[in-house]
Amino acid sequence: MRDDGANSGPELLLTLRRGAGAPALGIQVEDGLREAIRAGRLRSGDRLPPSRTLAHDLAVARRTVVGAYEQLVAEGWLEARTGSGTFVRRALPGLAVPASAAVVPAAPEAPAGPGRLRYHFFPGHPDLSAFPRAEWGRAVRAALRDLPDSAFGYGDPRGHRELRVALAGHLARTRGVVCRPRQIVICQGAVQALALLVRSHAERGAPRVVVEDPYLPEHRDVLAHAGADVVPVPVDGLGIRDESLVAARPDIALVTPAHQCPTGVVLAAGRRAAICRWAQESTALVVEDDYDAEYRYDRAPVAAVQSLAPDQVAYLGSTSKTLAPGIRLAWLVVPEDRLERVVAAKRYADAGSPVLEQAALARLITSGAYDRHVRAARRRQRERRDALVAAVGEHLPDARIEGAAAGLHAVVRLARPVGARELVAAAREREVGVHPLSEYRADPSPETTGVVLGYGALAVPAVREGVRRLAAALSEVG
């Protein structure tokens, strides 16, 4: 699926079924839009993507989307405004909007980076040169102009109300997340969010936390440092193994369903359902780390697991992959029955995140600038992904690429195991930084069967040259 020019307009999550027995695509688009409005994921006054953009995102003909829009305009769900676009009608007679989706007035409520290597395939690192400085500067200036004096005092530990309202709408629209603004806690990065979840459980004793194996070593360390008993559970081609997760009897299960890090596997539908059923029956908490879910290239988006069980799943997202890690903005969507404890942990951690950055992000989201930035970033990263795939095919023809349909990295499975330290050293001599797959294992082996190559921070020529040099390093250690 190509990105040719389709980089404007808001994001919208719709899932279509294809194949024998599936309804016509136009009918599915109509039904999906109606359901999004009924469920509150699309709200009164929300602007829909241009028909060309939505058609591109769904991989359907533009006339299919145009026809769906026209049908819903005729039925009174939507309204077309000349020169402005298509919007959800502000008055929808007879439509009962769920309380979780109700629009509430905005009054206040009671690791190390890539380093100096010339070709560092640092996984998960975004293109910092693409940070939208002009848009961010305008948003900061507008916030400084418009924020009341009281906004700069001690506020709600959950974060700036304007940002939480904006995020509730954005996450519902783009990821299918079901929540009220009051359930969102703004954190200073995903690291703090994970620590808060562990500390909020402290009164019940040290929580037993299941993590995926392989998974990010830094996040495992954060959980352990916060006092958790960390239990690794294996990942296979369908994602984390649900039967092993259940057998571990955890208090918390941390999963990356949309794009497992580092393997890139999407959690299978059957396992999603099984994990949600287990959480409901056991009263355990599932934490959904929506790791780099914004970047997808060859597959349709998948809805957040949180949408299946909002009372059992805490949703974690951040701007680290879309804007920059240095902004230090992340968010937790917390089930109501755990919210008070998480808010208390946040209060004692820092009394709340900096307000100016929150207000700026809120303005980027509500103005549509954030969606436009993400679309443009997705297009650039696809070009880099394509360059990586082509370079591996040319210089490492015996290797196999996995997990390249989405995200900011791919796993390159090697033709034979090699010494992990020897490979890192040989690559470094050629100014290349690589990360063996074995580093992500709970029990790392001295040999690795693959490398995790992050391309997000490398220009296309650097991707090509870096892979060429990596091939030379592999020939030396092989």
Side-chain angles (χ1 to χ4, degrees), residues 243-266:
E243 74 282 0
S244 300
L245 185 157
V246 172
R249 302 175 62 85
D251 302 295
I252 299 172
L254 176 60
V255 297
T256 53
H259 185 241
Q260 202 275 334
C261 181
T263 66
V265 171
V266 178

Side-chain angles (χ1 to χ4, degrees), residues 56 111 194 243 272 287 321 326 334 378 410 415 418 442 449 456 478:
H56 167 269
L194 293 174
E243 74 282 0
R272 288 172 174 239
V287 180
K321 305 298 182 288
V334 186
R378 187 184 301 147
V418 298
T449 59

Side-chain angles (χ1 to χ4, degrees), residues 295-318:
Y295 296 101
R296 57 188 184 276
Y297 315 115
D298 302 322
R299 62 169 173 79
V302 290
V305 169
Q306 192 269 357
S307 65
L308 301 177
D311 293 333
Q312 281 74 42
V313 180
Y315 176 90
L316 169 60
S318 82

Side-chain angles (χ1 to χ4, degrees), residues 40-86:
R41 294 192 292 112
L42 281 173
R43 309 179 185 197
S44 296
D46 278 358
R47 182 168 67 91
L48 273 67
S51 58
R52 187 184 304 277
T53 298
L54 185 57
H56 167 269
D57 288 349
L58 299 178
V60 299
R62 185 186 179 195
R63 63 179 177 274
T64 300
V65 176
V66 171
Y69 281 5
E70 290 176 345
Q71 179 62 31
L72 268 63
V73 168
E75 294 177 8
W77 296 90
L78 307 178
E79 58 182 349
R81 302 177 192 171
T82 303
S84 298
T86 305

